[in-house]
Amino acid sequence: MWKEKDNKLTRTFKFKDFSEAFAFMTRVALLAEKQEHHPDWSNAYNKVTIALSSHDEGDIVTAKDRKLAKAIDKLR
């Protein structure tokens, strides 16, 4: 579930292993590129943490972030 805190939408996804986590990141990267809206994220072994905010709108959560979050959820 996405949480909104400190002007960011954040969520951590957990996978079976590093390969699954990395494959998910690849799918998210392609999706983000299509939407021209890129996440801040990190990966540690089987976990991917994503933070979304609109830098061009003053680092706040906007409709672009909610749209990308919804699309990311569909990848899972």
Side-chain angles (χ1 to χ4, degrees), residues 27-42:
R27 292 190 304 273
V28 171
L30 294 171
L31 179 65
E33 190 66 16
K34 271 187 183 174
Q35 292 190 16
E36 297 182 6
H37 191 54
H38 305 93
D40 291 326
W41 58 6
S42 64

Side-chain angles (χ1 to χ4, degrees), residues 3-69:
K3 295 180 184 177
E4 187 171 343
K5 183 179 178 188
D6 298 326
N7 293 318
K8 293 184 188 321
L9 277 181
T10 60
R11 183 170 178 186
T12 298
F13 296 85
K14 192 171 182 180
F15 300 89
K16 183 180 90 176
D17 56 26
F18 177 77
S19 293
E20 283 189 11
F22 195 85
F24 173 73
M25 291 180 75
T26 301
R27 292 190 304 273
V28 171
L30 294 171
L31 179 65
E33 190 66 16
K34 271 187 183 174
Q35 292 190 16
E36 297 182 6
H37 191 54
H38 305 93
D40 291 326
W41 58 6
S42 64
N43 166 245
Y45 182 58
N46 68 334
K47 293 179 186 163
V48 176
T49 300
I50 300 175
L52 302 172
S53 66
S54 294
H55 307 294
D56 57 344
E57 297 288 333
D59 288 321
I60 60 171
V61 175
T62 67
K64 288 193 312 188
D65 303 299
R66 295 185 196 290
K67 178 181 175 186
L68 183 55

